[in-house]
Amino acid sequence: MVKLLISGMVKYKVTEYFKSLSHEGSGLWKQFYPDPRESIFKDYELEDPLSENKYLVSPRLVHRYKDRVLMLVTDQCLMYCRHCFRKDFIDRGINEISDSEIDLACEYIKKHSEVHEVILSGGDPLTISECKLSSVLKKIRQIRPGLIIRIGTRIPVVEPGLITDGLINILKENSPLWFLLQINHPDELTPDSVAALKRLNMAGVGLLNQSVLLKGINDSVDILKRLYQGLLEVMVKPYYIFQGDLARGTSHLRVPISRGLEIINELKGEISGIAMPIYAVDIPGGGGKIHLNRESIINEDDEFYYLQNSDGFVGKYPKE
Ligand SMILES: *Cc1c(COP(=O)(O)O)cnc(C)c1O
């Protein structure tokens, strides 16, 4: 079994396109430009903050929730997000999923009839060749009818030119498909990215967005309001806004939960229900995702909040 995580170090990567939209210190810039504070490792930060290794059931398959699995089809991305919770997995020489790894993953899904949804992730699944992508999607489709496929990607906003006719055709052939985007700032919505999103929409791809709440980038009601109203205008449904995961060297990007709750409450009074994402956090130590609100905090001490999932698992998350 492939070990997902190898000790991290600062690596920098961004597309010319995304860089051209940003200026030093802007909300886009801070998503890709390394910060000296990334060398600060807190003792509660982890290489694998979601404990995905614990749920690895095949070399490329994470089965954490009953009816859905996550397939890690590549460790490559066109931009390294400074806040990435898989930063210790990205670009560590694991590369594109092989044909035999696809078959192993599909065999597992075939045996587990409770699986109803397959989420392609990585890395960015749209960095693999169109031929490989087409083959992965076809093999998943052949497992059984009715399987839902989601693709987690930032390509439409990081390199919109990659949403080619060839890709659109592959997506159309494999309907129903959902894209789970990650757009964190309204400035990521440009004429180019909006055109790419429209093409996806026209191809019948369902578009959802998950953002990460990031200090100094989008931790303001005004910015989030512009982001979520802008997303609705281009037919993207805001799905989640995540509290930052405890990836190593990301403390300067995390917004305190107390502030996050304030922002979310204020935002609710500003935008429509369909523009509103769910504020969520992955409970450190493999507790999984929970909706974050006052009720999910069952206890606190000077340093930590204690969060509980529906199975009764309790994990702690730092207050600052
Ligand atoms: C987030 C996640 C999912 C999908 O969860 P949803 O709440 O359905 O979006 C599936 N598997 C893993 C491992 C995840 O982290």
Side-chain angles (χ1 to χ4, degrees):
M1 205 159 281
V2 177
K3 186 166 185 315
L4 287 181
L5 305 165
I6 308 152
S7 285
M9 50 188 226
V10 174
K11 283 194 180 183
Y12 161 84
K13 190 171 174 183
V14 65
T15 57
E16 281 305 319
Y17 164 79
F18 198 89
K19 198 175 173 189
S20 75
L21 303 174
S22 72
H23 56 85
E24 194 174 339
S26 69
L28 268 54
W29 175 270
K30 288 179 188 170
Q31 291 187 54
F32 66 82
Y33 200 79
D35 185 296
R37 289 170 291 181
E38 288 173 30
S39 62
I40 303 170
F41 289 4
K42 303 282 187 182
D43 51 13
Y44 48 73
E45 287 179 337
L46 305 157
E47 277 190 20
D48 177 16
L50 272 49
S51 299
E52 291 186 314
N53 277 309
K54 204 157 88 182
Y55 297 102
L56 210 54
V57 292
S58 167
R60 300 288 191 145
L61 205 65
V62 178
H63 193 182
R64 168 67 184 81
Y65 302 102
K66 184 179 167 189
D67 73 333
R68 46 217 192 277
V69 289
L70 195 86
M71 198 186 286
L72 299 164
V73 296
T74 176
D75 67 344
Q76 297 297 310
C77 277
L78 293 189
M79 168 168 120
Y80 297 154
C81 304
R82 306 324 300 175
H83 56 276
C84 181
F85 74 85
R86 283 201 201 109
K87 65 195 306 182
D88 286 283
F89 167 73
I90 298 303
D91 195 21
R92 294 292 179 265
I94 300 156
N95 296 325
E96 199 164 286
I97 192 167
S98 68
D99 290 336
S100 62
E101 287 169 333
I102 298 173
D103 293 340
L104 276 174
C106 288
E107 266 168 45
Y108 178 91
I109 299 166
K110 200 171 286 173
K111 277 195 225 132
H112 290 257
S113 58
E114 73 275 21
V115 174
H116 184 241
E117 196 169 320
V118 181
I119 303 167
L120 302 193
S121 187
D124 198 310
L126 296 190
T127 60
I128 68 176
S129 66
E130 287 184 356
C131 174
K132 181 71 92 171
L133 182 70
S134 171
S135 145
V136 175
L137 293 173
K138 281 212 177 76
K139 282 182 174 169
I140 295 172
R141 278 278 163 256
Q142 280 162 11
I143 298 173
R144 60 178 159 266
L147 272 183
I148 304 296
I149 304 179
R150 253 197 251 181
I151 299 179
T153 180
R154 290 198 80 173
I155 290 298
V157 292
V158 166
E159 190 73 324
L162 285 186
I163 308 301
T164 59
D165 290 344
L167 176 68
I168 292 285
N169 282 333
I170 293 170
L171 299 174
K172 276 186 183 163
E173 282 164 16
N174 287 283
S175 182
L177 268 182
W178 293 84
F179 265 30
L180 194 49
L181 305 158
Q182 186 193 137
I183 305 177
N184 292 320
H185 192 282
D187 291 351
E188 290 171 56
L189 295 172
T190 65
D192 288 335
S193 64
V194 166
L197 294 171
K198 280 204 176 124
R199 284 159 60 74
L200 289 164
N201 192 259
M202 298 285 283
V205 177
L207 300 175
L208 300 167
N209 185 63
Q210 48 188 21
S211 343
V212 183
L213 185 60
L214 295 164
K215 193 188 263 178
I217 294 175
N218 62 9
D219 55 340
S220 105
V221 173
D222 178 56
I223 290 174
L224 292 177
K225 181 177 170 175
R226 281 196 290 133
L227 172 62
Y228 294 133
Q229 289 181 337
L231 288 175
L232 282 195
E233 282 171 32
V234 293
M235 301 286 280
V236 178
K237 164 74 185 109
Y239 175 40
Y240 279 131
I241 180 163
F242 284 113
Q243 177 64 23
D245 290 310
L246 303 180
R248 297 188 309 164
T250 59
S251 60
H252 59 291
L253 291 171
R254 285 197 292 273
V255 177
I257 286 181
S258 56
R259 177 73 189 126
L261 289 169
E262 275 172 19
I263 292 172
I264 295 305
N265 276 334
E266 209 180 310
L267 193 60
K268 273 183 194 150
E270 293 283 326
I271 58 177
S272 85
I274 59 170
M276 199 61 209
I278 300 164
Y279 186 30
V281 63
D282 253 286
I283 301 182
K289 284 188 196 68
I290 58 162
H291 295 195
L292 193 45
N293 50 44
R294 295 269 166 216
E295 287 69 53
S296 43
I297 302 171
I298 58 152
N299 208 344
E300 63 184 282
D301 56 27
D302 291 345
E303 239 190 305
F304 295 98
Y305 286 125
Y306 292 80
L307 306 166
Q308 188 170 34
N309 71 13
S310 54
D311 299 331
F313 175 96
V314 178
K316 58 183 189 176
Y317 189 99
K319 283 178 158 176
E320 282 305 320

